[in-house]
Amino acid sequence: MKEALHQLFIEFQNSIQKNDFVKLTLSKPIRKSDDLSNVYVRQITLKGDVCFQFLYRYKTNDQTKNYSFEESVEELTNLLSENFRAATLFTLTNDLLVFISKKKKVSYKTTQPSFKNKLPETHDKPKEKRAENSEYLYHLGVTDKGGKVIPKMADKYRQINKYLEIIEAQIQSVKLPNHINIVDMGSGKGYLTFALYDYLVNQKGYTASVTGIELRESLVNYCNDIAKKCGFKGLLFVAQPIQEYDNDKIDILIALHACDTATDDAIYKGLVSKAELIICAPCCHKQIRQQVKGKEQESPLLKYGIFKERQFEMVTDTIRALILEKHQYNTKVFEFISNEHTRKNVMLIGAKSSKKVDSERIGAKISELKSAYQIDQHYLETLL
């Protein structure tokens, strides 16, 4: 493969020598199931030396690594052999398009340059702010009248932007109707609910209705008042328990920090409505803990308080993820935001898939897990 890509690497090297290299991108993943969707390469100066920063864009996060030119060639060879079918080398002279067939045949096409100027070579690329200069941030107390983030709300502002980054990636991974029905169960004060509506409808141009379900009527009135002030016509907050919500037209189900079994009630609503996306950030995990009372001494992992708490969280959310898999959802569990900002930082996402699953095998995994921890029943199972 390295020989077949020789022209790409020669043009890459020449563009650097002529100082007209802009960037290099990899696209068209070989396997649609891969989390890695793109790789972007740019030239940077690090401690006075020229090197190349690879930005690996996964569905849920971005990762960066820096390489020398020789290391970059090796990494590009590996990526184009195993992960991608296309590459584009952007220079100020022209664009070089590289196509790789299923049989690993490489073809090239040269087109007019897309860029007239080079990219900055600073090491730290400023992060895109998806929630910025929005009126709702002022009304919710995140920013002042001038649009500056209030210092004590900085963590919440980071959380909002990270959340929108995750949502954006997930929406691109599923098929959604022209009008998207989104339900946020346990919306609370609505920070993330407002952010999602504003970003999708006002910034990205989606046609969407967003409903926030919240038990506390005072918060519902507060949020509906702000939605009215901001002119968010497709955003509505309703005061009712999650269990009583009966609209089965849900395309995206969101439940962030719904306490204990309320997360399961929300997941159940998403499964029944066959939502394309189910996005949860579980909280509390009391139900499994109550079943294991009196059995702690039988397992060393349940002997110490801090480990016991983590075990309950892991077992509860693993069973939830397996149940989603059993119902034909591709599942992911990952850190939503750093521990330094909040302990409630695990996100569980299920994306509807058309692939057939081995329900019996997944069911056996759930049974084994329950048996190992002497769990009688997971609450979500009883709902189903």
Side-chain angles (χ1 to χ4, degrees), residues 26 30 32 74 83 87-88 108 112 118 150 211 240 347:
L26 306 185
I30 292 174
K32 291 183 179 179
E74 290 300 321
N83 301 92
T88 305
Y108 296 89
Q112 292 295 315
K118 295 187 66 176
I150 296 169
T211 304
Q240 67 176 161
M347 183 165 277

Side-chain angles (χ1 to χ4, degrees), residues 207-223:
T207 303
S209 298
V210 180
T211 304
I213 307 298
E214 171 54 47
L215 198 56
R216 292 163 288 184
E217 192 164 355
S218 59
L219 283 181
V220 167
N221 293 336
Y222 171 79
C223 290

Side-chain angles (χ1 to χ4, degrees), residues 19-201:
N19 198 31
D20 72 351
F21 172 77
V22 178
K23 66 175 181 176
L24 197 156
T25 68
L26 306 185
S27 58
K28 297 188 182 299
I30 292 174
R31 293 170 294 277
K32 291 183 179 179
S33 59
D34 268 7
D35 279 352
L36 183 60
S37 54
N38 292 96
V39 175
Y40 302 99
V41 183
R42 68 188 187 104
Q43 183 176 329
I44 63 170
T45 302
L46 189 59
K47 294 181 180 179
D49 295 326
V50 171
C51 58
F52 299 89
Q53 185 177 83
F54 281 58
L55 188 152
Y56 300 83
R57 178 142 291 171
Y58 293 89
K59 291 178 181 177
T60 56
N61 70 319
D62 291 347
Q63 297 178 15
T64 59
K65 292 183 180 179
N66 300 325
Y67 299 109
S68 66
F69 177 78
E70 292 76 16
E71 291 169 336
S72 298
V73 169
E74 290 300 321
E75 179 65 4
L76 288 168
T77 302
N78 293 334
L79 289 168
L80 290 169
S81 299
E82 303 294 333
N83 301 92
F84 295 98
R85 296 192 186 281
T88 305
L89 172 65
F90 296 94
T91 74
L92 299 181
T93 305
N94 55 48
D95 293 351
L96 179 65
L97 284 62
V98 184
F99 306 97
I100 304 169
S101 70
K102 291 181 179 180
K103 294 182 179 180
K104 302 296 182 183
K105 183 180 178 182
V106 181
S107 57
Y108 296 89
K109 181 181 179 181
T110 301
T111 62
Q112 292 295 315
S114 301
F115 294 88
K116 293 182 179 179
N117 298 296
K118 295 187 66 176
L119 300 179
E121 294 185 12
T122 54
H123 178 237
D124 295 319
K125 184 181 178 183
K127 286 190 175 182
E128 179 185 353
K129 295 292 188 291
R130 292 167 172 81
E132 198 167 30
N133 300 324
S134 298
E135 185 183 357
Y136 75 90
L137 291 171
Y138 166 67
H139 290 298
L140 289 172
V142 179
T143 61
D144 59 21
K145 286 186 177 181
K148 291 184 178 180
V149 176
I150 296 169
K152 68 177 182 179
M153 299 301 290
D155 285 351
K156 177 59 70 176
Y157 184 65
R158 277 191 288 269
Q159 185 190 42
I160 289 169
N161 278 288
K162 182 63 178 178
Y163 170 68
L164 294 177
E165 179 187 331
I166 291 169
I167 292 289
E168 181 181 47
Q170 294 307 314
I171 283 179
Q172 293 172 359
S173 71
V174 294
K175 292 181 179 179
L176 293 167
N178 292 330
H179 185 102
I180 309 168
N181 288 302
I182 303 170
V183 180
D184 187 348
M185 295 190 167
S187 54
K189 198 175 177 180
Y191 292 108
L192 302 181
T193 321
F194 277 96
L196 180 62
Y197 180 87
D198 181 61
Y199 186 65
L200 292 181
V201 176

Side-chain angles (χ1 to χ4, degrees), residues 173-315:
S173 71
V174 294
K175 292 181 179 179
L176 293 167
N178 292 330
H179 185 102
I180 309 168
N181 288 302
I182 303 170
V183 180
D184 187 348
M185 295 190 167
S187 54
K189 198 175 177 180
Y191 292 108
L192 302 181
T193 321
F194 277 96
L196 180 62
Y197 180 87
D198 181 61
Y199 186 65
L200 292 181
V201 176
N202 297 329
Q203 295 188 45
K204 291 297 182 181
Y206 285 96
T207 303
S209 298
V210 180
T211 304
I213 307 298
E214 171 54 47
L215 198 56
R216 292 163 288 184
E217 192 164 355
S218 59
L219 283 181
V220 167
N221 293 336
Y222 171 79
C223 290
N224 277 329
D225 183 53
I226 292 176
K228 187 176 180 180
K229 288 177 181 176
C230 294
F232 291 178
K233 295 180 180 180
L235 176 60
L236 175 68
F237 293 84
V238 179
Q240 67 176 161
I242 291 172
Q243 300 94 317
E244 294 180 9
Y245 185 78
D246 60 0
N247 188 342
D248 61 355
K249 292 181 180 179
I250 304 175
D251 300 307
I252 300 175
L253 184 286
I254 297 168
L256 304 181
H257 305 148
C259 190
D260 193 25
T261 56
T263 294
D264 298 306
D265 289 320
I267 292 174
Y268 171 70
K269 294 292 183 181
L271 289 173
V272 168
S273 63
K274 297 180 180 178
E276 288 295 323
L277 272 176
I278 296 176
I279 301 171
C280 301
C283 179
C284 294
H285 307 83
K286 295 178 183 177
Q287 188 248 340
I288 294 297
R289 186 188 321 164
Q290 290 166 349
Q291 294 185 50
V292 188
K293 276 184 178 179
K295 305 172 185 175
E296 288 94 334
Q297 299 305 320
E298 298 178 22
S299 169
L301 289 173
L302 301 178
K303 183 178 179 181
Y304 303 102
I306 188 171
F307 293 150
K308 182 167 64 175
E309 196 67 28
R310 290 174 183 174
Q311 286 293 310
F312 290 136
E313 292 178 8
M314 289 173 62
V315 172

